[in-house]
Every structure is written in structure tokens, then in C-alpha cells.
Amino acid sequence: MDAPAVSVVVPAYNAAACVGRALDSVLAQSWTDYELLVVDDGSSDGTAAVLAAYGERVRVLNQANAGPAAARNLGLRQARGRYVAFLDADDWWLPAKLSRQVELLDQRQEVGFCSTATRVVTQDGTPGADWRCSCDGTPLLETLFVRSAAVSGSTSGVLARRALLLEAGGFDASLRGFEDPDLWIRLAARSAYACIDQPLTVVVRTPGSVSSHLPRMRA
């Protein structure tokens, strides 16, 4: 089979209650030249059954529980697209997300990765403040050392060139909670970044998440 333009990688750990919504948002994309890979990170709930219901629309990869960074890296190694998008199992996309990002990277060869503005919601769907693009003119590499959330949507918002991700070494699986800004730092050292200032990504804020625990993030 011909390689798709985009590989979508979804890490899933005990995500039976939400991963269907994430997958449905990928299948509803206006951009259709993609492959959809889900990495089941050793789930012990009904995640496998939910994934099986999607049949050949989803390629399922399995691993013993090793965390989201290791799961994304497995998906990256198996990806065939020239671009790779990551989507956390509890987040989702609006239908134009991939098409807008592919258009941007196709037109701007100097840009190695991009994201979109993001709607932030609570677990019950209550909207919070939008996570906007950072367009203050400061180079992203410098900004990330001060403000790790400068890439809107983070893993669920980014589309990147697969070759760039591989060159940068993928995610550092030893980091739990800071593995995404760590990778953005390494990408920004090698390539330009752009952000589409339209909320096309939806991120669920989970109480008690690692990213909300500042001392652990600093460490």
C-alpha cells in the first residue's frame, strides 16, 4: 500500500471510557489521507474491546505498560506517513485540524512542526480558557525554557515531520509529565515552528495530572 500523508498515533492506557471519542474525531477529519495507530499501553480495562470494534480502520499496537512517551515512540517507529500527529486518548480534534496543518507544512518547508489553538475543557465538558497560540515574537526555543506550555495543545495539538521527529530521537521515556516540552525544545533547536490561531484541538484538563504538579514538572 502507498504510504499515507499522515500517521495519527494515539497512546491509550485504561482508556475505554474516552478513547472512542478521540478515534471518532480522527475518523471525522476532512483530511482523509492518514493511517490511525493506537498503542494499547498495557490496559487492564475494556480498552482492547473498544479498539476491536473499529476493525481495520484502526491499527492496534500492544506493549506492556511503559507510559505515554514510550507508547508514542512505538507508534512513531511504526508510522509510515511523512507527517505524524499525536492525540491523547482523552482529547479530541475538530474536523479541519489535520487539513489546516498539512496545508501549512506543505506550503512552508522551513516549518518542521506546528500546532493549533486549543479549547480546554474539564472532565464534564465545562469549557475553560482557550489555550491560544504564542505569537509574541520571541523564538520558541528561548520561550520553552521559561514557559513549557508555549506549544498550544502540546501532544494533542502538534503535527510534525516524521523525519524531524526521528532525527530528534522521539520522546524521552524516562520523563513522566515533561516529555512533550522536552521534545519541543529539541525540535525547535532544529526547525521553525508555527501555530494556527484557530481552536481545532480540544484538551481535557484532568485534576491531579502530572502537568498540573509544578514541583514534579520542575524536577
Side-chain angles (χ1 to χ4, degrees):
M1 295 176 60
D2 292 337
V6 178
S7 296
V8 179
V9 176
V10 180
Y13 174 67
N14 288 346
C18 59
V19 69
R21 179 179 61 192
L23 301 183
D24 289 345
S25 78
V26 176
L27 296 170
Q29 290 294 298
S30 57
W31 180 269
T32 58
D33 186 15
Y34 64 82
E35 62 176 351
L36 178 50
L37 295 80
V38 181
V39 182
D40 187 343
D41 186 32
S43 297
S44 58
D45 65 349
T47 296
V50 173
L51 300 180
Y54 285 85
E56 295 183 353
R57 294 177 294 174
V58 175
R59 181 181 170 196
V60 180
L61 307 172
N62 293 283
Q63 68 174 24
N65 180 247
R72 295 183 192 110
N73 285 341
L74 175 57
L76 174 59
R77 291 194 299 271
Q78 295 292 322
R80 298 181 302 128
R82 68 179 182 272
Y83 304 133
V84 178
F86 301 99
L87 176 61
D88 289 350
D90 53 351
D91 300 334
W92 69 95
W93 294 338
L94 299 186
K97 195 260 189 188
L98 284 183
S99 63
R100 291 290 309 278
Q101 289 185 297
V102 169
E103 180 183 19
L104 190 157
L105 292 187
D106 278 351
Q107 292 180 353
R108 298 181 59 186
Q109 294 302 310
E110 80 281 6
V111 175
F113 67 119
C114 65
S115 67
T116 80
T118 301
R119 292 178 183 171
V120 180
V121 301
T122 62
Q123 286 182 301
D124 64 3
T126 303
D130 280 354
W131 187 351
R132 307 303 305 189
C133 294
S134 298
C135 301
D136 59 5
T138 304
L140 178 65
L141 183 58
E142 296 178 22
T143 301
L144 283 166
F145 281 99
V146 179
R147 194 156 45 87
S148 64
V151 174
S152 176
S154 201
T155 45
S156 291
V158 163
L159 179 74
R161 301 184 191 275
R162 179 166 59 95
L164 177 65
L165 290 166
L166 293 172
E167 177 190 336
F171 292 91
D172 184 342
S174 71
L175 299 175
R176 295 295 183 102
F178 199 79
E179 71 273 9
D180 40 345
D182 169 75
L183 179 55
W184 311 151
I185 286 169
R186 286 182 278 120
L187 296 185
R190 292 167 167 84
S191 175
Y193 160 81
C195 183
I196 297 168
D197 199 19
Q198 179 182 355
L200 300 172
T201 304
V202 183
V203 165
V204 177
R205 278 281 181 251
T206 304
S209 65
V210 176
S211 61
S212 67
H213 193 288
L214 189 56
R216 269 186 288 178
M217 290 288 281
R218 282 177 173 156

